[in-house]
Amino acid sequence: MRVIEANGLGKTYGSTVALRGFNLSIDSGRILGLIGPNGAGKSTALNAILGLTSYQGSLKVLGRDPWTDRDRLMQDVCFIADVAVLPRWLRVSQALDFVAGVHPRFNRAKAEDYLARTNIRRKSRVRELSKGMVVQLHLALIMSIDARLLVLDEPTLGLDVLFRKQFYDSLLNDYFDGSRTILVTTHQVEEVQHVLTDLMFIDRGQIVLSSSMEALEQRYHEVMVLSPQLPAARALKPIQEREFFGRSVLLFDGVDRQQLLPLGDVRTPGIADLLVALVGNKIGSQATANPDFRGARA
Amino acid sequence: MNATSDILSDIPAESHAAAPATISFGQRFYWSVRREVWENGSIYIAPAVVAGLILIGLLIAIAHFGLHKDSIDFAGGGANNHMRGVYDFPAMFLMVTSFVVAFFYCLDALYGERRDRSILFWKSLPVSDFASILAKMTIPVLIIPMVTFAITMVTQALILLLGGAVALGSGLPANALGLQDPLLPASVMLLYHLIIVHGLWFAPLYGWLLLVSAFAPRVPLLWAVLPPAGIVVVEKIAFNTTYFATMLKYRFNSGPGGAGTAAKSLHALSWHDAGIFLVSPGMLIGLVVAAAFLAGAMRLRRSHGPL
């Protein structure tokens, strides 16, 4: 079942193009990470998918047009748009009452059960909770909704590493079941690397990379090359070269693993390194006076 | 293949086919109204505090001057009217209080949720903008008038008990505080006045305030007040007319006998007049204008994100 299908999605604010020719298609049971630098258009894409903003192009979420059919769509779609959007005056018990009152797919017992594992008291107001507890509360509410698509926009921003780890653990262990779909954006890319099934890089409103994690692991390789092998490695045209503790780390796109093995340690690159290689080069070429550091070294 | 894939295959897919309980528009509307009351305690706290102050003031007045002095005739009516003011004064004071509460409630209703970004939470739930806006409009039109009515009734009953007790204690007839007044019809009239004048007649004002609240990038109070004031000034300078100002004055100073003279009209108003007022052109036009403002507020809420 196709959960999200976007074709040529576009959005402009005045003269600023936030999104251009954005194509996306996710089937159910996937966890897609939408990764990109600030202002790349991630939030615009998510807002369009959630029916929070109008758009050009065609977009179907669970077979519905999110802008015109938003009220119905929200029964099957859940989102955490940002950390700390729970109103500060709301009591924990009121949050449970309200969501139970308006959402047909909310399982109150599940939310109570999840909250029982935290230090959150039913009587507390959101303003009395720590930032981490607010996220726990929000997650307890959202995870107890039997939605088909969950959208998370920077869900762990500003949380310490323990809460971030716990957040994704809960999501995977208590929520994700193979028939749901999760779409997540975050800057803490290393932490979601093993959570995702699919990855998409977006930069300046356009898609730079779109791939499943398996295909990614087949396609990109990172090799820690010893200096004698460097010329041979460079001949295979790495897309990026960087220094790591005095050793050269080269990133290859579409070079066969067998070919790389003799050159040094072959690994799967981290999402962050890949992002820097594919997106950061353009930014780097503008920001630093080092347009072609491969050439400069050679 | 990464860790997720294992989890993916381990956990059997939960069936989404199980039909969830359907939730009606009415239920969503009900919870939306409750959520407004949770957030805005001032709806009942402010009038309750004012009622408390009135009672304390009255107690001090009685202790100080005794019951038969004119000094507790707040309304300053003639000899006939001697004690009636003791009832009407709290009613008027509470009406003014709840009007102020309703004014500031509307001004913040849609601005506040954008400012604290909680609109993103409310929008993540299956409650339509229509239900949300309607719930917000229900507060000034229905909830605040009913709360005001209830608190006024309790206050008047306490004054009556207090007066009766003091009168008996000082050897005056128990009806010294005006027990001869037909209290029940007066109460019904008060309720009517609160809902029809404070609720429906002022509906365009609340609609305007909600529209401003949905639109204002900051300081909604200025956005609410300055444009109408600007129209009045421009109209006066450009055309030397005062149609807009007259219209505003009509809206605020009208109603069955005029909202400004509410207490007096409460006793003078007949049911016949009340019925005619309800279907008068002024009332109906006001409701249409209010609906237009609300439609605008709804559109704005749909497309505007947090500030």
Side-chain angles (χ1 to χ4, degrees):
Chain A
M1 162 92 200
R2 196 51 51 89
V3 176
I4 303 176
E5 179 89 72
N7 280 309
L9 200 61
K11 174 80 187 176
T12 51
Y13 296 101
S15 59
T16 315
V17 179
L19 212 57
R20 182 169 38 194
F22 184 85
N23 299 319
L24 171 66
S25 97
I26 317 179
D27 293 328
S28 60
R30 311 302 290 184
I31 302 180
L32 170 68
L34 188 60
I35 314 287
N38 289 325
K42 301 184 299 273
S43 292
T44 305
L46 293 193
N47 285 345
I49 288 165
L50 295 170
L52 296 173
T53 183
S54 58
Y55 49 80
Q56 294 98 46
S58 104
L59 173 62
K60 284 270 181 284
V61 178
L62 297 166
R64 298 181 195 281
D65 179 335
W67 180 242
T68 58
D69 213 2
R70 169 157 209 287
D71 300 337
R72 300 252 297 282
L73 189 64
M74 280 304 121
Q75 300 200 11
D76 293 316
V77 177
C78 247
F79 67 92
I80 299 184
D82 199 344
V83 280
V85 297
L86 291 180
R88 292 168 55 75
W89 53 265
L90 191 69
R91 288 186 193 281
V92 175
S93 57
Q94 291 172 340
L96 292 167
D97 288 344
F98 186 81
V99 181
V102 301
H103 209 304
R105 294 175 180 273
F106 180 68
N107 180 345
R108 189 181 180 130
K110 203 171 165 186
E112 301 264 8
D113 190 46
Y114 186 84
L115 284 176
R117 284 185 264 155
T118 68
N119 294 324
I120 299 171
R121 287 197 313 275
R122 242 25 77 78
K123 287 247 166 207
S124 300
R125 288 184 192 274
V126 168
R127 77 164 77 91
E128 296 155 6
L129 303 176
S130 72
K131 200 167 184 181
M133 287 158 100
V134 175
V135 174
Q136 281 180 327
L137 170 62
H138 203 165
L139 194 62
L141 294 172
I142 293 301
M143 291 205 320
S144 310
I145 293 171
D146 183 22
R148 290 163 66 190
L149 171 64
L150 173 63
V151 176
L152 303 168
D153 188 3
E154 290 291 354
T156 55
L157 198 69
L159 295 186
D160 66 42
V161 63
L162 296 177
F163 270 118
R164 295 206 299 265
K165 181 95 175 63
Q166 195 189 35
F167 180 91
Y168 287 111
D169 284 351
S170 301
L171 210 56
L172 283 185
N173 298 328
D174 302 335
Y175 182 77
F176 189 69
D177 68 0
S179 66
R180 302 180 206 271
T181 306
I182 300 177
L183 175 57
V184 57
T185 75
T186 179
H187 288 302
Q188 273 123 13
V189 286
E190 300 297 4
E191 285 165 30
V192 295
Q193 174 134 27
H194 299 290
V195 173
L196 304 179
T197 64
D198 294 81
L199 181 66
M200 189 176 254
F201 286 165
I202 176 171
D203 185 33
R204 284 172 245 183
Q206 287 180 304
I207 292 166
V208 177
L209 170 85
S210 176
S211 165
S212 74
M213 292 303 282
E214 297 101 308
L216 202 76
E217 282 159 29
Q218 298 290 320
R219 179 175 165 186
Y220 292 98
H221 299 289
E222 193 180 71
V223 189
M224 205 176 260
V225 184
L226 295 169
S227 25
Q229 272 99 5
L230 256 183
R234 283 182 184 145
L236 292 169
K237 295 197 169 53
I239 58 168
Q240 193 209 31
E241 180 176 335
R242 65 194 163 91
E243 290 270 317
F244 187 72
F245 285 103
R247 297 179 68 183
S248 296
V249 179
L250 278 67
L251 185 65
F252 295 93
D253 175 3
V255 178
D256 189 46
R257 191 183 167 85
Q258 297 304 320
Q259 247 183 306
L260 297 171
L261 278 174
L263 299 171
D265 271 346
V266 181
R267 297 183 311 190
T268 300
I271 294 180
D273 293 328
L274 207 53
L275 182 72
V276 171
L278 295 178
V279 175
N281 273 353
K282 287 182 252 161
I283 296 170
S285 63
Q286 289 163 354
T288 67
N290 189 7
D292 185 7
F293 89 119
R294 248 184 296 152
R297 286 168 158 269
Chain B
M1 214 60 193
N2 54 43
T4 315
S5 320
D6 302 333
I7 292 165
L8 206 150
S9 50
D10 284 354
I11 301 172
E14 216 173 282
S15 170
H16 292 292
T22 51
I23 287 183
S24 68
F25 176 83
Q27 278 167 289
R28 294 203 166 96
F29 173 73
Y30 165 78
W31 281 103
S32 300
V33 173
R34 278 198 71 175
R35 155 228 173 319
E36 296 299 326
V37 177
W38 288 338
E39 180 177 3
N40 299 279
S42 60
I43 290 170
Y44 51 87
I45 292 170
V49 167
V50 168
L53 291 176
I54 288 170
L55 287 173
I56 290 169
L58 190 63
L59 271 176
I60 294 172
I62 289 173
H64 216 251
F65 300 111
L67 198 58
H68 45 278
K69 292 278 195 271
D70 282 353
S71 41
I72 54 168
D73 183 7
F74 298 98
N80 280 352
N81 226 0
H82 181 70
M83 280 300 156
R84 187 183 277 160
V86 179
Y87 302 122
D88 288 347
F89 177 79
M92 278 171 61
F93 217 107
L94 287 169
M95 275 181 211
V96 172
T97 305
S98 29
F99 178 75
V100 171
V101 169
F103 185 94
F104 285 99
Y105 164 80
C106 291
L107 215 47
D108 195 59
L110 292 155
Y111 177 74
E113 64 176 14
R114 289 187 295 134
R115 189 190 47 218
D116 71 6
R117 306 178 63 79
S118 64
I119 188 171
L120 291 172
F121 173 65
W122 303 119
K123 280 195 171 189
S124 76
L125 297 167
V127 181
S128 63
D129 292 320
F130 179 68
S132 302
I133 298 271
L134 205 62
K136 286 174 197 293
M137 187 65 167
T138 303
I139 299 294
V141 169
L142 197 64
I143 304 296
I144 291 179
M146 300 226 301
V147 167
T148 310
F149 175 73
I151 291 177
T152 306
M153 285 294 102
V154 170
T155 310
Q156 290 184 336
L158 287 175
I159 291 174
L160 198 65
L161 284 175
L162 196 69
V166 175
L168 283 177
S170 52
L172 287 165
N175 64 359
L177 268 173
L179 275 179
Q180 70 274 18
D181 258 23
L183 214 53
L184 188 66
S187 313
V188 175
M189 229 12 130
L190 175 69
L191 182 62
Y192 178 89
H193 174 85
L194 280 167
I195 290 181
I196 301 306
V197 177
H198 285 250
L200 296 180
W201 180 253
F202 287 158
L205 171 71
Y206 304 136
W208 165 249
L209 294 173
L210 285 173
L211 180 69
V212 167
S213 185
F215 156 80
R218 49 184 304 188
V219 209
L221 183 61
L222 289 185
W223 282 101
V225 175
L226 290 185
I231 292 174
V232 169
V233 171
V234 168
E235 188 196 335
K236 178 69 186 162
I237 293 170
F239 308 108
N240 196 24
T241 56
T242 55
Y243 289 118
F244 193 73
T246 310
M247 196 192 77
L248 290 181
K249 204 175 150 202
Y250 167 70
R251 184 58 53 178
F252 285 112
N253 210 12
S254 197
T261 52
K264 273 174 207 148
S265 71
L266 280 187
H267 299 279
L269 185 65
S270 76
W271 282 111
H272 181 67
D273 295 340
I276 286 174
F277 176 68
L278 197 52
V279 293
S280 65
M283 174 66 94
L284 298 179
I285 290 170
L287 292 179
V288 169
V289 171
F293 283 148
L294 287 185
M298 218 173 298
R299 272 193 79 86
L300 286 170
R301 188 181 193 264
R302 184 170 175 222
S303 52
H304 279 204
L307 289 176

